[in-house]
Amino acid sequence: MKETQEWMAVPIDRLGRRLPRCGVCRQRRREIYDLCQERTWRDLSMRKLPLRLLYRPRRVDCPRCGVRVEDFPWAEPWARVTTALANAVAVLARELSWQGTARHYGLSWKSVARIVERAVEYGLRHRRRPPVHVIGIDEVSRRKGQVYLTVVYDLERRVLLWAGDDRTEEAVRPFFTQEMGRRRCHTLPVVCMDMWAAYAKLVREYAPNAQILFDRFHIVQHLQEAVEEVRRSEMRRLSRKERVVFKRSRWLLLKNPWNLNPDQKNRLSTLVRWNTPIVRAYYLKESFQLFWDYKQPARAKAHLEKWMSSAMRSRLEPFKKFVRLLRGHLGGILPWTTLRLSNGAVEGMNNKINSISHRSFGFRSAKNFIAAIYHCCARLPLPAER
Ligand SMILES: [Zn+2]
């Protein structure tokens, strides 16, 4: 064993007395063709010194594969680090940024990126693919909403199934054709998603038996945007003095009335007496939300119909727009009452993806970002150490 200040080297003379194995088919081969140049592999550190394995690989003449470098039990054929180190790096990269992981193991960012990419490739090839019953399709924005990725979850197992660049029909199609495949698509009962035409179109095309359910949180998001739009246009209209009063009390509208103290209740009732569009918008929003609590489909539907007609009479343009959106998607909204499913089940996973994108300003390409998402959210198996 050689040791320097920076690292420790372990030369390996030969792999026991056994015959070498072909690096491709892993069969034992008697014919040794020649010896290669000495190669080194980074291994886990020993006594805080990076360990390096030194070995001159042999090439075997394999009747099946031709002349090939022999198989080494400590590393994959192409790898420059041992499987033990690669797995340790991969495990840490699930928790830390790639920069942080690289620093911890004294590797370059690029090496970590390559290790994670390989781990994901391996994991995708070897992961279990049990039947899927409920999937959630969601979009993730990158670079402040300028670039979108599509992620698909198994909502029952709460695990990422697929991640892809962009959210167009073309971009998401491989999820159905490659990841799911015909058989699993045809027996898929429920798909939960945003009211995004490209997703719905693909589901109708590839999983015609699936019930589409538009995600509760996305619907509420559209509703909140309507409230916000009303608020903004009203603020432009109000005098400066009124605006100050409003700004100070606006948050009262967003709180549950039973959480307010007497003074706050007073201010809220002043606002209500003004009966401004903002207040109307607020109460429309509150009454819409009752929809989610109904247990009987007929009653839920009646509530929604009543709500939509009152919103249409509200003289609030953003709400009329919201009603038109609902009308066009009712077939995927009403089933909520019986299914009661939403992508909220994987909200933790979406938060994880957001934190991946925040902590990793090093992701120059969507490809790296997607690898990181798979790596952290898909519960992929790592290569076994031999
Ligand atoms: Zn072979």
Side-chain angles (χ1 to χ4, degrees):
M1 190 176 296
K2 289 183 237 163
E3 191 176 329
T4 69
Q5 289 294 15
E6 288 89 38
W7 47 278
M8 204 185 286
V10 181
I12 298 168
D13 288 336
R14 55 177 187 179
L15 298 171
R17 246 178 254 153
R18 300 241 171 114
L19 291 171
R21 288 169 188 271
C22 163
V24 179
C25 65
R26 287 196 180 150
Q27 294 294 310
R28 291 192 194 287
R29 294 300 173 211
R30 200 169 292 278
E31 297 300 319
I32 291 172
Y33 185 79
D34 62 0
L35 266 173
C36 307
Q37 290 285 323
E38 186 174 68
R39 278 177 60 180
T40 66
W41 290 263
R42 271 283 306 266
D43 197 5
L44 285 162
S45 301
M46 189 180 259
R47 290 196 277 123
K48 289 185 182 163
L49 287 176
L51 200 60
R52 284 187 196 182
L53 307 184
L54 309 179
Y55 180 64
R56 284 192 74 175
R58 295 164 290 182
R59 288 203 293 173
V60 294
D61 193 357
C62 175
R64 210 189 303 175
C65 316
V67 175
R68 297 288 177 172
V69 176
E70 68 177 315
D71 172 61
F72 336 102
W74 58 83
E76 296 300 316
W78 33 260
R80 289 157 68 193
V81 300
T82 61
T83 308
L85 176 61
N87 281 358
V89 168
V91 167
L92 192 64
R94 283 191 172 139
E95 311 298 328
L96 287 187
S97 68
W98 292 3
Q99 289 94 328
T101 307
R103 216 174 301 129
H104 183 91
Y105 281 105
L107 296 165
S108 67
W109 184 91
K110 256 192 165 159
S111 311
V112 173
R114 207 171 305 128
I115 287 169
V116 172
E117 254 165 54
R118 300 278 194 189
V120 168
E121 268 170 36
Y122 175 91
L124 287 176
R125 246 185 296 122
H126 291 89
R127 82 158 143 184
R128 281 192 321 121
R129 285 187 164 75
V132 186
H133 304 113
V134 188
I135 63 169
I137 309 180
D138 213 342
E139 73 227 346
V140 183
S141 76
R142 211 160 75 83
R143 278 193 239 132
K144 291 180 186 156
Q146 298 208 10
V147 188
Y148 283 93
L149 301 183
T150 297
V151 287
V152 185
Y153 299 105
D154 179 332
L155 291 184
E156 282 179 327
R157 286 167 59 231
R158 300 189 181 196
V159 65
L160 179 92
L161 292 175
W162 187 83
D165 204 358
D166 214 337
R167 52 174 181 170
T168 62
E169 222 181 296
E170 273 329 293
V172 185
R173 192 182 303 277
F175 165 72
F176 294 94
T177 55
Q178 289 163 25
E179 171 62 33
M180 285 291 280
R182 242 181 114 95
R183 254 219 355 250
R184 292 205 304 164
C185 271
H186 268 265
T187 55
L188 182 66
V190 185
V191 182
C192 190
M193 65 169 98
D194 189 9
M195 294 181 277
W196 176 249
Y199 295 161
K201 194 161 169 246
L202 285 168
V203 171
R204 285 193 198 103
E205 186 178 342
Y206 290 101
N209 301 320
Q211 169 67 59
I212 291 177
L213 177 66
F214 293 115
D215 186 47
R216 172 180 174 165
F217 292 92
H218 282 104
I219 295 170
V220 173
Q221 221 175 343
H222 287 285
L223 178 64
Q224 264 154 357
E225 275 160 29
V227 175
E228 188 53 23
E229 218 175 295
V230 171
R231 191 191 66 79
R232 255 181 281 135
S233 76
E234 277 306 296
M235 290 310 262
R236 280 194 292 269
R237 209 181 48 81
L238 291 177
S239 71
R240 180 176 293 173
K241 197 177 142 222
E242 286 172 315
R243 214 178 289 168
V244 170
V245 174
F246 234 110
K247 269 195 182 146
R248 250 188 254 134
S249 318
R250 178 171 67 92
W251 61 275
L252 293 172
L253 294 172
L254 304 172
K255 286 199 83 165
N256 283 325
W258 49 88
N259 286 339
L260 300 176
N261 68 33
D263 170 54
Q264 292 167 337
K265 274 185 183 155
N266 236 333
R267 278 156 65 194
L268 180 61
S269 72
T270 319
L271 279 187
V272 173
R273 248 180 288 122
W274 286 4
N275 190 27
T276 63
I278 300 183
V279 175
R280 270 185 288 138
Y282 167 69
Y283 283 107
L284 273 175
K285 183 190 135 203
E286 287 302 292
S287 67
F288 178 86
Q289 297 282 41
L290 298 174
F291 168 75
W292 310 113
D293 298 333
Y294 282 96
K295 299 279 191 302
Q296 294 179 22
R299 292 209 179 151
K301 189 175 178 218
H303 172 81
L304 196 60
E305 287 293 346
K306 223 172 105 192
W307 186 88
M308 287 193 292
S309 59
S310 69
M312 285 311 273
R313 279 182 273 109
S314 68
R315 282 170 283 133
L316 302 172
E317 200 40 53
F319 276 82
K320 292 186 189 172
K321 205 176 101 198
F322 178 62
V323 170
R324 284 192 288 271
L325 183 71
L326 294 180
R327 284 238 177 266
H329 294 85
L330 278 184
I333 295 170
L334 294 171
W336 157 264
T337 315
T338 45
L339 295 171
R340 293 195 119 70
L341 290 162
S342 83
N343 287 345
V346 288
E347 211 189 317
M349 210 94 75
N350 266 345
N351 294 340
K352 215 184 212 174
I353 293 175
N354 282 332
S355 80
I356 295 170
S357 105
H358 284 153
R359 78 191 177 196
S360 309
F361 34 89
F363 291 136
R364 271 145 254 170
S365 68
K367 195 173 141 253
N368 288 143
F369 188 39
I370 288 170
I373 291 173
Y374 270 121
H375 191 55
C376 293
C377 304
R379 274 191 251 146
L380 299 177
L382 289 172
E385 288 163 42
R386 286 180 282 149

